[in-house]
Amino acid sequence: HIEAIQKYGTTKYHRLSFLKNITKSCTLLQHMLEYVLMEVCKMLFENFVSNIKLLTVLKLSWDFSDAEASPRKFHAISFRVKGNAHYKLPGSEVHSTSGDVLFVPEDVGYHIKADEEELYVIHFEMKELHQENLEVFHMNDYYKVKGLFVACFEEWNKKEPGYYFKVMSIFFQILERMSTYSTRKFADLNYHNS
């Protein structure tokens, strides 16, 4: 401080100028520390969930569907707000109705026949998750599960700072609820890093 006072002088004006410069430097340092902390948190979070990547969150609706869905290079989970759908795969059929969550694994094609539908869909990639069949989760807490999918959709589309982390957090809550209703222990399938 003595050197700074000698450099800037001892008048009131010089001391104020010196204090303003110190304040600016502290503010700049604070911004730099916040940025570094945010980048470190982002790096830790990305390493923690590096085997999952969210691609998109959609809200879809249509009056009638009778179509073939080609195999895709990503997984999907959807929450059916309303409507019924029949899915035909080689060797099996699956039925989904209002309140159900449907898991569609990557590389699985199907034929869908559905009446008026409204649903939320999350497309994602997940390493080490290998499943060959669709799975329907008959949820008995419709409003809670719907709320999670709606929150995912809204946060994804607002794209506010930190949105990806918020959506990922909600996504994990959905997986947890799915694992509660799963006969195959969906969320535990090859999820841990080994």
Side-chain angles (χ1 to χ4, degrees):
H1 294 308
I2 294 171
E3 290 175 14
I5 290 172
Q6 288 173 350
K7 181 178 177 184
Y8 286 97
T10 55
T11 68
K12 188 175 183 179
Y13 171 77
H14 289 118
R15 284 189 299 248
L16 285 175
S17 177
F18 171 71
L19 289 175
K20 285 180 184 178
N21 287 334
I22 291 288
T23 303
K24 286 179 186 176
S25 296
C26 288
T27 303
L28 179 61
L29 182 60
Q30 180 182 359
H31 289 300
M32 288 171 57
L33 287 173
E34 287 173 357
Y35 175 78
V36 168
L37 181 60
M38 187 172 62
E39 288 301 309
V40 167
C41 287
K42 183 178 176 183
M43 182 180 68
L44 290 172
F45 186 80
E46 287 173 351
N47 286 337
F48 178 69
V49 293
S50 63
N51 64 334
I52 297 176
K53 180 181 178 187
L54 298 179
L55 303 174
T56 187
V57 183
L58 306 168
K59 182 179 181 182
L60 305 172
S61 62
W62 50 83
D63 293 330
F64 180 78
S65 179
D66 187 0
E68 290 292 326
S70 300
R72 300 170 288 196
K73 291 295 178 192
F74 52 83
H75 304 289
I77 56 173
S78 62
F79 177 77
R80 190 167 302 283
V81 177
K82 67 178 179 179
N84 296 296
H86 281 13
Y87 300 86
K88 287 188 180 181
L89 297 94
S92 68
E93 279 189 41
V94 174
H95 178 74
S96 177
T97 188
S98 265
D100 287 345
V101 172
L102 176 71
F103 169 66
V104 180
E106 68 180 352
D107 296 325
V108 174
Y110 55 86
H111 182 89
I112 181 174
K113 201 169 209 176
D115 57 9
E116 182 181 5
E117 287 190 291
E118 181 180 330
L119 49 106
Y120 290 92
V121 182
I122 302 170
H123 294 145
F124 63 100
E125 295 172 348
M126 181 185 257
K127 296 176 188 173
E128 305 300 323
L129 176 59
H130 306 288
Q131 193 165 326
E132 297 176 5
N133 295 306
L134 305 183
E135 185 172 356
V136 176
F137 301 84
H138 304 290
M139 313 299 256
N140 57 4
D141 48 355
Y142 176 90
Y143 293 104
K144 175 65 176 171
V145 178
K146 179 184 177 186
L148 292 171
F149 275 87
V150 169
C152 263
F153 175 73
E154 289 173 351
E155 291 298 333
W156 185 266
N157 288 290
K158 281 193 278 188
K159 299 272 193 277
E160 291 178 349
Y163 81 95
Y164 189 84
F165 303 126
K166 287 181 185 177
V167 175
M168 185 65 84
S169 171
I170 300 166
F171 179 74
F172 277 116
Q173 291 178 57
I174 293 169
L175 293 182
E176 183 273 328
R177 293 192 97 66
M178 289 169 66
S179 70
T180 302
Y181 293 95
S182 176
T183 56
R184 295 187 193 133
K185 303 287 185 234
F186 168 80
D188 298 325
L189 284 176
N190 297 315
Y191 178 67
H192 50 77
N193 293 324
S194 5

